[in-house]
Amino acid sequence: MNSPTRSVRSVLLAACAFATACSGVPTRTFQIDAIDVEDQPVPCIVVVDGDWAQAAERGQVVNIDGKRPLAVTVAFPRPEANIIVAAVPVDAAGKPEKLPKSREESRALTEFLSDYRDVRLTDPDRTLFILRRK
Amino acid sequence: MPSARLRSQILLFALPVLPACGTTTYRLPIQVEPPTAHVYINGKKVGQGDRFVHQVDFSQAERVCIQAAAKGYEPRMVVLTRDELKAQIDSVGDIRWTLIQERQ
């Protein structure tokens, strides 16, 4: 027979699991692409909610190593999430020379201006950014 | 309780209205200057600047993203909800853009 303590512990554990499941932040995976005004792909880093470090750590780059479009899962603790797409300098082999840590750095290192957009959980899957040359 | 005749009359008037209320697609005429401009809807290239019609589908998303770009011009974009697109079609009838030339 179970002791009362053990029963209470089981109930608490179940309650915690239920609370965790119910309080989960909704997520959505977007297919991100970046092109220039001539419809040509532009290698870019994709930054969600301003987290440049996480974008670099996860290798969130589009149009590099055949990643086109790039699938990016976005969490929605708020109704809208912000996505920045900033050009990345690449070498002759198409490998990134450096991942910029800001929009200003991307602008300094490449010939493109970065772009940004607020997306919602219910927005279309495919999100296209058209970058202007500076 | 309405009579059978009244019920059939109500049905007769309601039938044409019901599909309009539940529709998820809208017929959207688009025209962009210059005619060489590429037009993208929800990230997919759907045509070029010369006037064309696209069926916008709201069954998978609550907003539609319309973009246009051409060499030598500033790209343009608008994101519209279903109600906003319907209002645009009702008031103007289409999307008609003239892209602005980039400064040299």
PDB file of all heavy atoms in Angstrom, chain B residues 3 7 10-11 13 16-17 23-24 28 41-42 48 57 61-62 70 74 76 78-79 82 85-86 88 96-97 103:
ATOM      1  N   SER B   3     -43.649  28.605 -41.852  1.00  0.00           N
ATOM      2  CA  SER B   3     -44.253  27.648 -42.784  1.00  0.00           C
ATOM      3  C   SER B   3     -43.179  27.101 -43.724  1.00  0.00           C
ATOM      4  O   SER B   3     -42.081  27.674 -43.837  1.00  0.00           O
ATOM      5  CB  SER B   3     -45.344  28.346 -43.590  1.00  0.00           C
ATOM      6  OG  SER B   3     -44.739  29.292 -44.441  1.00  0.00           O
ATOM      7  N   ARG B   7     -39.781  28.944 -45.050  1.00  0.00           N
ATOM      8  CA  ARG B   7     -38.455  28.314 -44.867  1.00  0.00           C
ATOM      9  C   ARG B   7     -37.714  28.225 -46.208  1.00  0.00           C
ATOM     10  O   ARG B   7     -36.528  28.500 -46.301  1.00  0.00           O
ATOM     11  CB  ARG B   7     -38.619  26.921 -44.256  1.00  0.00           C
ATOM     12  CG  ARG B   7     -38.759  26.943 -42.736  1.00  0.00           C
ATOM     13  CD  ARG B   7     -38.338  25.603 -42.131  1.00  0.00           C
ATOM     14  NE  ARG B   7     -39.077  24.481 -42.655  1.00  0.00           N
ATOM     15  CZ  ARG B   7     -40.215  24.024 -42.139  1.00  0.00           C
ATOM     16  NH1 ARG B   7     -40.739  24.608 -41.073  1.00  0.00           N
ATOM     17  NH2 ARG B   7     -40.826  22.985 -42.665  1.00  0.00           N
ATOM     18  N   ILE B  10     -36.456  31.677 -47.176  1.00  0.00           N
ATOM     19  CA  ILE B  10     -35.262  32.062 -46.395  1.00  0.00           C
ATOM     20  C   ILE B  10     -34.028  31.362 -46.974  1.00  0.00           C
ATOM     21  O   ILE B  10     -32.980  31.971 -47.181  1.00  0.00           O
ATOM     22  CB  ILE B  10     -35.448  31.714 -44.898  1.00  0.00           C
ATOM     23  CG1 ILE B  10     -36.521  32.622 -44.285  1.00  0.00           C
ATOM     24  CG2 ILE B  10     -34.131  31.851 -44.139  1.00  0.00           C
ATOM     25  CD1 ILE B  10     -36.967  32.212 -42.897  1.00  0.00           C
ATOM     26  N   LEU B  11     -34.180  30.084 -47.261  1.00  0.00           N
ATOM     27  CA  LEU B  11     -33.080  29.283 -47.814  1.00  0.00           C
ATOM     28  C   LEU B  11     -32.624  29.844 -49.162  1.00  0.00           C
ATOM     29  O   LEU B  11     -31.433  29.953 -49.446  1.00  0.00           O
ATOM     30  CB  LEU B  11     -33.549  27.828 -47.968  1.00  0.00           C
ATOM     31  CG  LEU B  11     -32.445  26.780 -48.087  1.00  0.00           C
ATOM     32  CD1 LEU B  11     -31.616  26.753 -46.820  1.00  0.00           C
ATOM     33  CD2 LEU B  11     -33.047  25.418 -48.352  1.00  0.00           C
ATOM     34  N   PHE B  13     -32.770  32.908 -50.237  1.00  0.00           N
ATOM     35  CA  PHE B  13     -31.997  34.150 -50.078  1.00  0.00           C
ATOM     36  C   PHE B  13     -30.653  33.892 -49.401  1.00  0.00           C
ATOM     37  O   PHE B  13     -29.670  34.558 -49.680  1.00  0.00           O
ATOM     38  CB  PHE B  13     -32.803  35.165 -49.255  1.00  0.00           C
ATOM     39  CG  PHE B  13     -33.850  35.863 -50.062  1.00  0.00           C
ATOM     40  CD1 PHE B  13     -35.186  35.531 -49.948  1.00  0.00           C
ATOM     41  CD2 PHE B  13     -33.497  36.857 -50.978  1.00  0.00           C
ATOM     42  CE1 PHE B  13     -36.153  36.168 -50.710  1.00  0.00           C
ATOM     43  CE2 PHE B  13     -34.463  37.498 -51.739  1.00  0.00           C
ATOM     44  CZ  PHE B  13     -35.789  37.161 -51.619  1.00  0.00           C
ATOM     45  N   PRO B  16     -27.021  32.183 -51.648  1.00  0.00           N
ATOM     46  CA  PRO B  16     -25.930  32.919 -52.306  1.00  0.00           C
ATOM     47  C   PRO B  16     -25.029  33.653 -51.331  1.00  0.00           C
ATOM     48  O   PRO B  16     -23.885  33.943 -51.624  1.00  0.00           O
ATOM     49  CB  PRO B  16     -26.664  33.931 -53.203  1.00  0.00           C
ATOM     50  CG  PRO B  16     -28.089  33.507 -53.209  1.00  0.00           C
ATOM     51  CD  PRO B  16     -28.323  32.748 -51.956  1.00  0.00           C
ATOM     52  N   VAL B  17     -25.547  33.978 -50.135  1.00  0.00           N
ATOM     53  CA  VAL B  17     -24.783  34.757 -49.154  1.00  0.00           C
ATOM     54  C   VAL B  17     -23.785  33.885 -48.411  1.00  0.00           C
ATOM     55  O   VAL B  17     -22.664  34.293 -48.144  1.00  0.00           O
ATOM     56  CB  VAL B  17     -25.746  35.442 -48.147  1.00  0.00           C
ATOM     57  CG1 VAL B  17     -24.979  36.179 -47.072  1.00  0.00           C
ATOM     58  CG2 VAL B  17     -26.702  36.374 -48.882  1.00  0.00           C
ATOM     59  N   THR B  23     -15.893  32.425 -47.344  1.00  0.00           N
ATOM     60  CA  THR B  23     -14.792  32.289 -48.304  1.00  0.00           C
ATOM     61  C   THR B  23     -13.441  32.556 -47.654  1.00  0.00           C
ATOM     62  O   THR B  23     -13.334  33.382 -46.747  1.00  0.00           O
ATOM     63  CB  THR B  23     -14.993  33.230 -49.511  1.00  0.00           C
ATOM     64  OG1 THR B  23     -14.009  32.912 -50.490  1.00  0.00           O
ATOM     65  CG2 THR B  23     -14.854  34.688 -49.133  1.00  0.00           C
ATOM     66  N   THR B  24     -12.432  31.825 -48.109  1.00  0.00           N
ATOM     67  CA  THR B  24     -11.078  32.071 -47.608  1.00  0.00           C
ATOM     68  C   THR B  24     -10.180  32.581 -48.726  1.00  0.00           C
ATOM     69  O   THR B  24      -9.011  32.847 -48.496  1.00  0.00           O
ATOM     70  CB  THR B  24     -10.457  30.792 -47.014  1.00  0.00           C
ATOM     71  OG1 THR B  24     -10.441  29.792 -48.021  1.00  0.00           O
ATOM     72  CG2 THR B  24     -11.223  30.316 -45.795  1.00  0.00           C
ATOM     73  N   LEU B  28      -7.489  38.961 -56.339  1.00  0.00           N
ATOM     74  CA  LEU B  28      -6.817  40.254 -56.179  1.00  0.00           C
ATOM     75  C   LEU B  28      -6.081  40.668 -57.460  1.00  0.00           C
ATOM     76  O   LEU B  28      -5.055  40.086 -57.808  1.00  0.00           O
ATOM     77  CB  LEU B  28      -5.812  40.181 -55.021  1.00  0.00           C
ATOM     78  CG  LEU B  28      -4.977  41.440 -54.785  1.00  0.00           C
ATOM     79  CD1 LEU B  28      -5.857  42.601 -54.338  1.00  0.00           C
ATOM     80  CD2 LEU B  28      -3.879  41.175 -53.771  1.00  0.00           C
ATOM     81  N   ILE B  41       3.858  36.913 -53.245  1.00  0.00           N
ATOM     82  CA  ILE B  41       2.783  36.840 -52.249  1.00  0.00           C
ATOM     83  C   ILE B  41       3.116  35.704 -51.292  1.00  0.00           C
ATOM     84  O   ILE B  41       3.383  34.575 -51.717  1.00  0.00           O
ATOM     85  CB  ILE B  41       1.407  36.659 -52.919  1.00  0.00           C
ATOM     86  CG1 ILE B  41       1.075  37.961 -53.668  1.00  0.00           C
ATOM     87  CG2 ILE B  41       0.329  36.315 -51.890  1.00  0.00           C
ATOM     88  CD1 ILE B  41      -0.307  38.085 -54.191  1.00  0.00           C
ATOM     89  N   ASN B  42       3.131  36.039 -50.016  1.00  0.00           N
ATOM     90  CA  ASN B  42       3.524  35.096 -48.963  1.00  0.00           C
ATOM     91  C   ASN B  42       4.854  34.415 -49.295  1.00  0.00           C
ATOM     92  O   ASN B  42       5.020  33.197 -49.144  1.00  0.00           O
ATOM     93  CB  ASN B  42       2.421  34.057 -48.709  1.00  0.00           C
ATOM     94  CG  ASN B  42       1.206  34.696 -48.073  1.00  0.00           C
ATOM     95  OD1 ASN B  42       1.280  35.785 -47.510  1.00  0.00           O
ATOM     96  ND2 ASN B  42       0.074  34.038 -48.173  1.00  0.00           N
ATOM     97  N   GLN B  48       4.816  39.128 -62.625  1.00  0.00           N
ATOM     98  CA  GLN B  48       5.573  40.356 -62.861  1.00  0.00           C
ATOM     99  C   GLN B  48       4.628  41.533 -62.970  1.00  0.00           C
ATOM    100  O   GLN B  48       3.403  41.363 -63.028  1.00  0.00           O
ATOM    101  CB  GLN B  48       6.449  40.201 -64.101  1.00  0.00           C
ATOM    102  CG  GLN B  48       7.731  39.426 -63.773  1.00  0.00           C
ATOM    103  CD  GLN B  48       8.791  39.561 -64.821  1.00  0.00           C
ATOM    104  OE1 GLN B  48       8.638  39.021 -65.893  1.00  0.00           O
ATOM    105  NE2 GLN B  48       9.865  40.247 -64.503  1.00  0.00           N
ATOM    106  N   ASP B  57      -5.207  33.324 -50.593  1.00  0.00           N
ATOM    107  CA  ASP B  57      -5.842  32.294 -49.777  1.00  0.00           C
ATOM    108  C   ASP B  57      -5.559  32.537 -48.286  1.00  0.00           C
ATOM    109  O   ASP B  57      -4.403  32.614 -47.875  1.00  0.00           O
ATOM    110  CB  ASP B  57      -5.290  30.927 -50.210  1.00  0.00           C
ATOM    111  CG  ASP B  57      -5.973  29.785 -49.468  1.00  0.00           C
ATOM    112  OD1 ASP B  57      -6.951  30.037 -48.746  1.00  0.00           O
ATOM    113  OD2 ASP B  57      -5.506  28.637 -49.625  1.00  0.00           O
ATOM    114  N   ALA B  61      -3.316  31.069 -43.181  1.00  0.00           N
ATOM    115  CA  ALA B  61      -2.720  32.179 -42.433  1.00  0.00           C
ATOM    116  C   ALA B  61      -3.740  33.314 -42.304  1.00  0.00           C
ATOM    117  O   ALA B  61      -4.630  33.442 -43.150  1.00  0.00           O
ATOM    118  CB  ALA B  61      -1.475  32.682 -43.148  1.00  0.00           C
ATOM    119  N   GLU B  62      -3.580  34.113 -41.251  1.00  0.00           N
ATOM    120  CA  GLU B  62      -4.543  35.193 -41.018  1.00  0.00           C
ATOM    121  C   GLU B  62      -4.149  36.488 -41.705  1.00  0.00           C
ATOM    122  O   GLU B  62      -4.931  37.429 -41.742  1.00  0.00           O
ATOM    123  CB  GLU B  62      -4.711  35.436 -39.514  1.00  0.00           C
ATOM    124  CG  GLU B  62      -5.487  34.317 -38.838  1.00  0.00           C
ATOM    125  CD  GLU B  62      -5.749  34.573 -37.381  1.00  0.00           C
ATOM    126  OE1 GLU B  62      -5.356  35.642 -36.865  1.00  0.00           O
ATOM    127  OE2 GLU B  62      -6.350  33.688 -36.740  1.00  0.00           O
ATOM    128  N   ALA B  70      12.233  45.465 -58.041  1.00  0.00           N
ATOM    129  CA  ALA B  70      12.806  45.533 -59.387  1.00  0.00           C
ATOM    130  C   ALA B  70      14.174  46.184 -59.300  1.00  0.00           C
ATOM    131  O   ALA B  70      14.424  47.006 -58.391  1.00  0.00           O
ATOM    132  CB  ALA B  70      11.901  46.342 -60.315  1.00  0.00           C
ATOM    133  N   GLU B  74      13.315  50.832 -55.133  1.00  0.00           N
ATOM    134  CA  GLU B  74      13.190  50.411 -53.741  1.00  0.00           C
ATOM    135  C   GLU B  74      12.087  49.357 -53.631  1.00  0.00           C
ATOM    136  O   GLU B  74      11.000  49.556 -54.180  1.00  0.00           O
ATOM    137  CB  GLU B  74      12.835  51.612 -52.852  1.00  0.00           C
ATOM    138  CG  GLU B  74      13.961  52.622 -52.746  1.00  0.00           C
ATOM    139  CD  GLU B  74      13.614  53.793 -51.839  1.00  0.00           C
ATOM    140  OE1 GLU B  74      12.599  53.721 -51.132  1.00  0.00           O
ATOM    141  OE2 GLU B  74      14.372  54.772 -51.854  1.00  0.00           O
ATOM    142  N   ARG B  76       9.008  47.185 -52.133  1.00  0.00           N
ATOM    143  CA  ARG B  76       7.831  47.628 -51.382  1.00  0.00           C
ATOM    144  C   ARG B  76       7.122  46.407 -50.799  1.00  0.00           C
ATOM    145  O   ARG B  76       7.130  45.333 -51.404  1.00  0.00           O
ATOM    146  CB  ARG B  76       6.897  48.394 -52.307  1.00  0.00           C
ATOM    147  CG  ARG B  76       5.762  49.071 -51.580  1.00  0.00           C
ATOM    148  CD  ARG B  76       5.117  50.110 -52.444  1.00  0.00           C
ATOM    149  NE  ARG B  76       3.894  50.598 -51.811  1.00  0.00           N
ATOM    150  CZ  ARG B  76       3.105  51.499 -52.336  1.00  0.00           C
ATOM    151  NH1 ARG B  76       3.386  52.031 -53.496  1.00  0.00           N
ATOM    152  NH2 ARG B  76       2.007  51.896 -51.707  1.00  0.00           N
ATOM    153  N   VAL B  78       3.603  45.123 -48.152  1.00  0.00           N
ATOM    154  CA  VAL B  78       2.470  45.410 -47.273  1.00  0.00           C
ATOM    155  C   VAL B  78       1.990  44.078 -46.694  1.00  0.00           C
ATOM    156  O   VAL B  78       2.045  43.051 -47.366  1.00  0.00           O
ATOM    157  CB  VAL B  78       1.333  46.143 -48.030  1.00  0.00           C
ATOM    158  CG1 VAL B  78       0.686  45.263 -49.079  1.00  0.00           C
ATOM    159  CG2 VAL B  78       0.276  46.650 -47.066  1.00  0.00           C
ATOM    160  N   VAL B  79       1.586  44.111 -45.414  1.00  0.00           N
ATOM    161  CA  VAL B  79       1.009  42.928 -44.768  1.00  0.00           C
ATOM    162  C   VAL B  79      -0.429  43.279 -44.397  1.00  0.00           C
ATOM    163  O   VAL B  79      -0.658  44.261 -43.701  1.00  0.00           O
ATOM    164  CB  VAL B  79       1.819  42.525 -43.514  1.00  0.00           C
ATOM    165  CG1 VAL B  79       1.194  41.296 -42.854  1.00  0.00           C
ATOM    166  CG2 VAL B  79       3.272  42.241 -43.872  1.00  0.00           C
ATOM    167  N   ARG B  82      -7.267  39.694 -43.532  1.00  0.00           N
ATOM    168  CA  ARG B  82      -8.361  39.409 -44.474  1.00  0.00           C
ATOM    169  C   ARG B  82      -9.303  40.610 -44.599  1.00  0.00           C
ATOM    170  O   ARG B  82      -9.676  40.992 -45.711  1.00  0.00           O
ATOM    171  CB  ARG B  82      -9.110  38.191 -43.920  1.00  0.00           C
ATOM    172  CG  ARG B  82     -10.178  37.634 -44.781  1.00  0.00           C
ATOM    173  CD  ARG B  82     -10.508  36.267 -44.216  1.00  0.00           C
ATOM    174  NE  ARG B  82     -11.915  35.970 -44.338  1.00  0.00           N
ATOM    175  CZ  ARG B  82     -12.423  34.768 -44.083  1.00  0.00           C
ATOM    176  NH1 ARG B  82     -11.642  33.801 -43.673  1.00  0.00           N
ATOM    177  NH2 ARG B  82     -13.700  34.539 -44.216  1.00  0.00           N
ATOM    178  N   LEU B  85      -7.616  43.428 -46.565  1.00  0.00           N
ATOM    179  CA  LEU B  85      -7.556  43.142 -48.003  1.00  0.00           C
ATOM    180  C   LEU B  85      -8.938  43.324 -48.636  1.00  0.00           C
ATOM    181  O   LEU B  85      -9.063  43.896 -49.719  1.00  0.00           O
ATOM    182  CB  LEU B  85      -7.047  41.719 -48.254  1.00  0.00           C
ATOM    183  CG  LEU B  85      -6.909  41.371 -49.726  1.00  0.00           C
ATOM    184  CD1 LEU B  85      -5.692  42.049 -50.343  1.00  0.00           C
ATOM    185  CD2 LEU B  85      -6.828  39.884 -49.965  1.00  0.00           C
ATOM    186  N   LYS B  86      -9.969  42.845 -47.921  1.00  0.00           N
ATOM    187  CA  LYS B  86     -11.341  42.962 -48.443  1.00  0.00           C
ATOM    188  C   LYS B  86     -11.702  44.449 -48.592  1.00  0.00           C
ATOM    189  O   LYS B  86     -12.289  44.850 -49.605  1.00  0.00           O
ATOM    190  CB  LYS B  86     -12.311  42.263 -47.490  1.00  0.00           C
ATOM    191  CG  LYS B  86     -13.703  42.108 -48.039  1.00  0.00           C
ATOM    192  CD  LYS B  86     -14.552  41.251 -47.116  1.00  0.00           C
ATOM    193  CE  LYS B  86     -15.980  41.120 -47.645  1.00  0.00           C
ATOM    194  NZ  LYS B  86     -16.655  42.397 -47.840  1.00  0.00           N
ATOM    195  N   GLN B  88      -9.619  46.893 -49.083  1.00  0.00           N
ATOM    196  CA  GLN B  88      -8.829  47.412 -50.209  1.00  0.00           C
ATOM    197  C   GLN B  88      -9.517  47.074 -51.542  1.00  0.00           C
ATOM    198  O   GLN B  88      -9.643  47.922 -52.420  1.00  0.00           O
ATOM    199  CB  GLN B  88      -7.424  46.774 -50.169  1.00  0.00           C
ATOM    200  CG  GLN B  88      -6.551  47.029 -51.379  1.00  0.00           C
ATOM    201  CD  GLN B  88      -5.792  48.348 -51.312  1.00  0.00           C
ATOM    202  OE1 GLN B  88      -5.699  48.938 -50.254  1.00  0.00           O
ATOM    203  NE2 GLN B  88      -5.290  48.810 -52.438  1.00  0.00           N
ATOM    204  N   ARG B  96      -2.279  48.634 -56.709  1.00  0.00           N
ATOM    205  CA  ARG B  96      -1.590  49.314 -57.818  1.00  0.00           C
ATOM    206  C   ARG B  96      -0.432  50.113 -57.231  1.00  0.00           C
ATOM    207  O   ARG B  96      -0.647  51.092 -56.516  1.00  0.00           O
ATOM    208  CB  ARG B  96      -2.571  50.237 -58.530  1.00  0.00           C
ATOM    209  CG  ARG B  96      -2.120  50.628 -59.912  1.00  0.00           C
ATOM    210  CD  ARG B  96      -3.206  51.370 -60.638  1.00  0.00           C
ATOM    211  NE  ARG B  96      -4.421  50.558 -60.811  1.00  0.00           N
ATOM    212  CZ  ARG B  96      -5.474  50.961 -61.507  1.00  0.00           C
ATOM    213  NH1 ARG B  96      -5.493  52.134 -62.071  1.00  0.00           N
ATOM    214  NH2 ARG B  96      -6.529  50.173 -61.627  1.00  0.00           N
ATOM    215  N   TRP B  97       0.768  49.666 -57.504  1.00  0.00           N
ATOM    216  CA  TRP B  97       1.952  50.314 -56.938  1.00  0.00           C
ATOM    217  C   TRP B  97       2.845  50.872 -58.041  1.00  0.00           C
ATOM    218  O   TRP B  97       2.972  50.262 -59.112  1.00  0.00           O
ATOM    219  CB  TRP B  97       2.806  49.304 -56.157  1.00  0.00           C
ATOM    220  CG  TRP B  97       2.241  48.873 -54.844  1.00  0.00           C
ATOM    221  CD1 TRP B  97       1.218  49.447 -54.144  1.00  0.00           C
ATOM    222  CD2 TRP B  97       2.682  47.759 -54.065  1.00  0.00           C
ATOM    223  NE1 TRP B  97       0.998  48.756 -52.985  1.00  0.00           N
ATOM    224  CE2 TRP B  97       1.881  47.717 -52.903  1.00  0.00           C
ATOM    225  CE3 TRP B  97       3.674  46.804 -54.222  1.00  0.00           C
ATOM    226  CZ2 TRP B  97       2.045  46.754 -51.915  1.00  0.00           C
ATOM    227  CZ3 TRP B  97       3.841  45.845 -53.244  1.00  0.00           C
ATOM    228  CH2 TRP B  97       3.037  45.823 -52.096  1.00  0.00           C
ATOM    229  N   ARG B 103      17.988  56.075 -55.147  1.00  0.00           N
ATOM    230  CA  ARG B 103      18.884  57.221 -55.379  1.00  0.00           C
ATOM    231  C   ARG B 103      20.258  56.701 -55.746  1.00  0.00           C
ATOM    232  O   ARG B 103      20.734  55.733 -55.168  1.00  0.00           O
ATOM    233  CB  ARG B 103      18.976  58.073 -54.109  1.00  0.00           C
ATOM    234  CG  ARG B 103      17.832  59.059 -54.021  1.00  0.00           C
ATOM    235  CD  ARG B 103      17.968  59.890 -52.788  1.00  0.00           C
ATOM    236  NE  ARG B 103      16.894  59.572 -51.843  1.00  0.00           N
ATOM    237  CZ  ARG B 103      16.946  59.793 -50.546  1.00  0.00           C
ATOM    238  NH1 ARG B 103      18.020  60.276 -49.998  1.00  0.00           N
ATOM    239  NH2 ARG B 103      15.928  59.523 -49.767  1.00  0.00           N
TER     240      ARG B 103
END
